Amino acid sequence: MFDVNTAVYLAMAVIFLIIAGLKALAFLREPSLPLALIAAGFFDGGVVYAMASPAGYRILGAQFGEPRIATLPIYAGILLAYANTHILTLLWTPPDDAPRSTVRRTVALWSAGYGLAILAMVVAFLHADLDGPADPLLFNTQQADDPYVQVFLGILLVVLSCGTLNTWQRTRRTSGTDPRIRHALRWFGGSMLVTFGYVLCSAPAVVFAALGHQELQTLGMLGSYFGILGCVGTCYGVSGTAVTAWLRDRRDTVALQPLWKLVVGDIDQGLMYSPTSAKPHVWGILRIVMTRRIIEILDGIRAVQPWASAEAAQAVRDIKGRPLPADELEAVVTAAVLRDAAARYHASAEAARAAGERRVRPPSGADQTAGALPGANTAAQDERARLVRVARALTHPLVAPALELTAARRSTAAHSSLRDEPAGKDR
């Protein structure tokens, strides 16, 4: 029977294995010990969750002819997974001015401690006399009357306590570290405290069960959910910055679409890198898509630059009421000028088609000002943020009135010019 616990555990297994795969790919691109530890730890965690699910537990027991055999690799795998996180934290938080030899020695001692603990757990488990129903969530209390199981569980809980608490204590040393590492350490620390809740729930339940009392069995089961919550926090610790960056890329890709359509899609599709630019995918590796989109938009802005007019920029400044922040005002002005330039480009294109000309000729006149479009000196690293602001400003409440005012002023100027022209000829 596929129950809720199986679904939760298998979902966690999938999450862990996905992160392991992504970190393994990152390791292949740029090999490093931290990436190797993260990939190995999350692969181990994914396998553990798959085995610890009620369905996985039963399948493994049937394969080996011992219903409870999966408990050994599950608990050994739990220690290995937390050992990876602990060792990673030790590498990222060396004591101030500590020589590399001290860090290596600390890592070696903790690694040896975890290895000896797992070896002792294997020996104790293989000597245990297990009986009764095989339920992964109730193993700790159902089998606690066996002395070897008590040793097995005692080692697990003591080592897990030492590892989680020491990891939490070390994660408080984050000064001077890379922001991504600080993010990971912050979440590692919180996750380890949550995971310690597993020990706080399991230890009294095991002690009571060893004394022949099962009243705390539910408390023991509750401990497994502290472990799940802790693992969720650890997952976010190593992938949160990447997920946040991906979500930001996706959000900005969508936000830039109207600006791209204005200056590329409706102007010159020859500026596109590929046909997919017209409707970019927003689920894959978006950093490449985002970079191409920005380059296309900048090329499109240069294409309509000859049609840009300082009149639209002036109209925005004339009708704005309350003072606007400098970045917002620049974005609104740029949006108005680009919308005006695109409209003038299309008018020129219509005139060129009507005259049978292949080339769209830019207008000439005193209003063609190099400074009509602000932001020309924007640094490369700030260009994305500026373009996103411009894209969002295309529908700003000031833009449409500014374009209407610009059109009215041009119409008035044109009528004045027509009235003055005959008078000039008479004279």
Side-chain angles (χ1 to χ4, degrees):
M1 178 179 172
F2 193 82
D3 58 18
V4 173
N5 286 323
T6 294
V8 171
Y9 276 65
L10 291 182
M12 291 297 298
V14 169
I15 292 171
F16 266 67
L17 293 175
I18 288 174
I19 294 175
L22 293 174
K23 296 303 179 181
L25 291 174
F27 173 81
L28 293 176
R29 290 194 302 269
E30 190 178 349
S32 68
L33 180 57
L35 281 174
L37 285 172
I38 293 171
F42 275 84
F43 178 78
D44 171 45
V47 173
V48 165
Y49 267 111
M51 291 189 298
S53 67
Y57 195 86
R58 287 192 295 269
I59 291 171
L60 202 60
Q63 290 292 321
F64 285 88
E66 166 50 59
R68 290 157 292 271
I69 190 63
T71 302
L72 177 58
I74 288 169
Y75 282 18
I78 288 172
L79 277 192
L80 277 176
Y82 282 101
N84 268 279
T85 303
H86 188 189
I87 291 169
L88 189 62
T89 303
L90 293 174
L91 292 172
W92 278 343
T93 57
D96 294 338
D97 302 322
R100 286 182 175 271
S101 58
T102 301
V103 178
R104 285 197 295 268
R105 186 164 56 250
T106 301
V107 169
L109 287 173
W110 275 103
S111 299
Y114 280 113
L116 290 173
I118 291 173
L119 180 61
M121 286 172 63
V122 171
V123 173
F125 186 88
L126 294 178
H127 282 81
D129 182 18
L130 306 176
D131 58 8
D135 187 328
L137 298 179
L138 297 177
F139 177 89
N140 292 1
T141 51
Q142 286 180 343
Q143 309 298 328
D145 57 339
D146 187 281
Y148 287 104
V149 171
Q150 294 169 12
V151 173
F152 174 79
L153 294 176
I155 295 171
L156 171 72
L157 295 177
V158 168
V159 176
L160 196 59
S161 298
C162 294
T164 54
L165 293 178
N166 186 259
T167 303
W168 169 73
Q169 188 269 334
R170 294 294 292 254
T171 57
R172 301 167 72 183
R173 303 176 182 177
T174 59
S175 59
T177 55
D178 181 276
R180 291 170 297 179
I181 294 178
R182 278 203 303 273
H183 169 88
L185 290 173
R186 202 160 47 240
W187 280 88
F188 283 0
S191 300
M192 292 306 105
L193 279 183
V194 172
T195 302
F196 185 63
Y198 171 82
V199 177
L200 295 179
C201 291
S202 297
V206 170
V207 171
F208 268 68
L211 297 174
H213 304 284
Q214 295 291 329
E215 290 84 358
L216 298 183
Q217 192 175 75
T218 302
L219 179 64
M221 292 179 62
L222 181 64
S224 63
Y225 293 99
F226 279 98
I228 292 173
L229 289 175
C231 286
V232 170
T234 304
C235 288
Y236 188 74
V238 299
S239 61
T241 52
V243 170
T244 301
W246 184 87
L247 290 173
R248 187 167 56 248
D249 288 344
R250 186 175 187 276
R251 179 199 65 200
D252 289 353
T253 299
V254 173
L256 286 171
Q257 180 68 17
L259 180 59
W260 181 91
K261 187 175 187 303
L262 179 72
V263 299
V264 178
D266 292 343
I267 300 295
D268 183 1
Q269 296 194 1
L271 298 173
M272 297 191 304
Y273 276 81
S274 72
T276 60
S277 292
K279 191 175 182 181
H281 299 290
V282 291
W283 292 106
I285 301 174
L286 296 180
R287 186 51 55 91
I288 297 174
V289 174
M290 173 64 63
T291 302
R292 286 170 49 179
R293 175 126 301 207
I294 290 171
I295 294 172
E296 290 171 352
I297 288 173
L298 291 174
D299 288 343
I301 289 175
R302 280 190 288 271
V304 299
Q305 178 91 38
W307 285 266
S309 168
E311 293 173 319
Q314 187 58 47
V316 172
R317 295 186 176 95
D318 288 342
I319 66 174
K320 77 179 180 70
R322 60 180 177 83
L324 297 176
D327 285 348
E328 184 180 355
L329 179 59
E330 179 186 288
V332 172
V333 168
T334 306
V337 172
L338 288 177
R339 283 183 57 176
D340 178 61
R344 299 181 78 196
Y345 170 86
H346 290 301
S348 298
E350 285 288 331
R353 280 194 293 270
E357 297 178 358
R358 289 187 175 183
R359 185 167 174 267
V360 182
R361 298 182 183 277
S364 59
D367 62 338
Q368 302 310 305
T369 331
L373 271 172
N377 297 322
T378 303
Q381 67 268 22
D382 300 327
E383 199 66 84
R384 168 176 167 176
R386 182 182 78 91
L387 293 179
V388 169
R389 287 195 299 270
V390 172
R392 289 176 175 154
L394 290 174
T395 55
H396 192 280
L398 285 176
V399 172
L403 295 178
E404 292 172 3
L405 178 59
T406 301
R409 287 174 172 175
R410 285 177 183 154
S411 177
T412 301
H415 281 92
S416 298
S417 176
L418 288 174
R419 283 197 307 270
D420 294 343
E421 187 176 343
K425 285 184 179 179
D426 289 341
R427 287 193 295 269

